[in-house]
Amino acid sequence: MGEQPIFSTRAHVFQIDPNTKKNWVPTSKHAVTVSYFYDSTRNVYRIISLDGSKAIINSTITPNMTFTKTSQKFGQWADSRANTVYGLGFSSEHHLSKFAEKFQEFKEAARLAKEKSQEKMELTSTPSQESAGGDLQSPLTPESINGTDDERTPDVTQNSEPRAEPTQNALPFSHSSAISKHWEAELATLKGNNAKLTAALLESTANVKQWKQQLAAYQEEAERLHKRVTELECVSSQANAVHTHKTELNQTIQELEETLKEKEEEIERLKQEIDNARELQEQRDSLTQKLQEVEIRNKDLEGQLSDLEQRLEKSQNEQEAFRNNLKTLLEILDGKIFELTELRDNLAKLLECS
């Protein structure tokens, strides 16, 4: 049945800068559809996002992956197989939380699927190791090769099926019969390489380093084959990609129209603010002119007040001099009155004596 989408959302896609490992580089100019896919034939979960016909996210969920919320609307996870860190910017915190819940759910499902696969491999490898010379095509568990690090050692399903983990531009569509035949030939070649690699491991543990070098070459070959399969899948998926691109363009146009409407409303609001600012400027100019007139008048009044103060001081001085003169005249008058009184008394005495 191939891969089927089980959950979709929209977000802005970013990848970590491969040079600085710090800055985010946007891989989509606008919000695109980001979907979880489930491949029932291989029992794996993947996160896939297309920008037109280009796959900007193709990440297989493994049990040791972690989705981290770095803000209310942004989350990220590291994919060591793709040698990058993906970041998603959502329109709301609710969409981010929903995506993180699905990530945890499918991560747990991938862990259970891996445990079941390892149990099957152990059951398959036990009789193969007891046979004479061993079965060169029996699967090996990651623990028997290179510890439990899932990022360094590929799973058995990856060794036995080269299409297990495409790293970029992989699209969930069925292959044509010609592609299948070509793939079977390449699969046979890979099985031969796997058999040689297994035989070398069983012969001597002292050749582990050499085996790792051969494994690295095998992984490069598998990566090259994955890219070739991806190119063939892209050719067969043009029609569906165009339809998806058209849908995304319609959604983008709708978003742009809403944004344009918001901008027009903002422009109207700014125009009103400009008109209000002009009125305030006119009022300010009028008040400034009145203030200047008041300041001029205030200066005139200050001059008049200064003159009045001088006149008042002069008047006070004149009044003080007048009072002093009046006081002197009163004293002289009192002396004269006293003299006249004495003269009257003397005249009266003379009259009485005569």
Side-chain angles (χ1 to χ4, degrees):
M1 294 177 63
E3 287 183 312
Q4 298 295 330
I6 52 180
F7 177 78
S8 296
T9 186
R10 290 184 65 82
H12 292 271
V13 181
F14 299 85
Q15 286 189 16
I16 202 70
D17 190 340
N19 297 322
T20 63
K21 297 297 183 180
K22 295 181 180 180
N23 301 325
W24 288 106
V25 177
T27 56
S28 62
K29 296 181 180 179
H30 50 77
V32 296
T33 301
V34 181
S35 303
Y36 286 98
F37 280 81
Y38 174 64
D39 189 347
S40 58
T41 60
R42 292 183 290 137
N43 198 19
V44 296
Y45 295 85
R46 291 201 295 169
I47 302 174
I48 296 176
S49 178
L50 301 177
D51 189 4
S53 60
K54 177 184 177 182
I56 56 178
I57 298 180
N58 181 25
S59 177
T60 300
I61 300 176
T62 59
N64 59 336
M65 282 186 177
T66 301
F67 184 83
T68 305
K69 298 179 182 179
T70 57
S71 68
Q72 293 183 349
K73 297 182 181 181
F74 193 87
Q76 65 183 51
W77 78 96
D79 189 342
S80 59
R81 295 179 179 178
N83 193 26
T84 188
V85 179
Y86 294 103
L88 296 179
F90 296 87
S91 59
S92 65
E93 186 176 0
H94 171 72
H95 290 86
L96 172 60
S97 300
K98 189 67 175 179
F99 188 89
E101 292 175 2
K102 293 295 181 180
F103 192 98
Q104 186 65 27
E105 176 184 345
F106 300 144
K107 170 185 171 181
E108 182 66 19
R111 184 185 65 80
L112 296 175
K114 180 184 175 183
E115 291 178 354
K116 292 181 181 179
S117 176
Q118 289 179 348
E119 291 176 358
K120 291 180 181 179
M121 287 188 292
E122 291 175 356
L123 294 174
T124 305
S125 61
T126 300
S128 301
Q129 292 176 357
E130 293 176 354
S131 62
D135 187 359
L136 296 181
Q137 295 183 359
S138 62
L140 295 175
T141 62
E143 290 80 3
S144 64
I145 297 175
N146 198 20
T148 60
D149 192 348
D150 295 328
E151 297 302 325
R152 294 176 305 183
T153 306
D155 294 338
V156 175
T157 55
Q158 292 176 343
N159 289 334
S160 61
E161 184 152 358
R163 191 178 175 270
E165 299 295 339
T167 58
Q168 61 180 359
N169 299 334
L171 302 176
F173 302 103
S174 61
H175 304 292
S176 64
S177 59
I179 296 174
S180 299
K181 292 179 180 179
H182 181 66
W183 181 246
E184 289 175 359
E186 292 179 340
L187 180 60
T189 302
L190 291 176
K191 284 183 178 180
N193 293 337
N194 188 32
K196 293 177 182 179
L197 187 61
T198 305
L201 277 173
L202 295 176
E203 288 176 1
S204 175
T205 57
N207 295 328
V208 170
K209 184 176 181 180
Q210 181 181 0
W211 178 85
K212 286 182 178 180
Q213 294 175 352
Q214 294 177 354
L215 179 61
Y218 165 76
Q219 289 175 339
E220 291 178 359
E221 180 68 14
E223 182 68 18
R224 184 183 64 82
L225 293 175
H226 290 162
K227 291 180 180 180
R228 291 183 60 187
V229 171
T230 300
E231 293 174 358
L232 295 174
E233 288 177 342
C234 289
V235 173
S236 63
S237 63
Q238 291 297 324
N240 195 15
V242 169
H243 177 71
T244 304
H245 185 54
K246 181 180 179 181
T247 303
E248 293 180 353
L249 285 177
N250 290 334
Q251 293 177 351
T252 303
I253 290 172
Q254 185 176 0
E255 293 176 357
L256 291 175
E257 289 177 349
E258 293 176 354
T259 303
L260 180 62
K261 185 178 179 180
E262 293 176 356
K263 295 297 182 183
E264 290 177 349
E265 293 176 353
E266 185 177 358
I267 289 172
E268 291 296 329
R269 181 178 60 81
L270 291 174
K271 287 181 178 179
Q272 293 178 357
E273 291 181 356
I274 290 172
D275 293 337
N276 294 334
R278 288 177 179 174
E279 292 178 358
L280 291 174
Q281 182 66 26
E282 292 176 355
Q283 293 178 2
R284 177 178 174 275
D285 294 339
S286 177
L287 291 174
T288 302
Q289 185 177 359
K290 290 181 180 180
L291 179 61
Q292 291 176 352
E293 293 176 355
V294 169
E295 288 178 351
I296 294 171
R297 186 177 178 183
N298 188 27
K299 289 181 180 180
D300 295 338
L301 291 175
E302 287 178 353
Q304 293 177 7
L305 179 61
S306 178
D307 293 338
L308 289 173
E309 287 177 351
Q310 292 177 359
R311 291 172 62 184
L312 178 62
E313 185 178 358
K314 183 178 179 181
S315 175
Q316 288 177 350
N317 293 333
E318 291 177 352
Q319 287 181 2
E320 185 67 24
F322 177 75
R323 286 177 182 175
N324 292 332
N325 294 330
L326 185 60
K327 184 177 181 181
T328 302
L329 292 174
L330 288 174
E331 291 176 353
I332 295 171
L333 182 59
D334 289 338
K336 296 297 183 182
I337 292 172
F338 180 74
E339 291 177 357
L340 291 173
T341 302
E342 288 182 351
L343 180 60
R344 178 180 175 279
D345 292 338
N346 292 330
L347 291 175
K349 290 177 180 181
L350 290 175
L351 289 174
E352 288 176 0
C353 291
S354 62

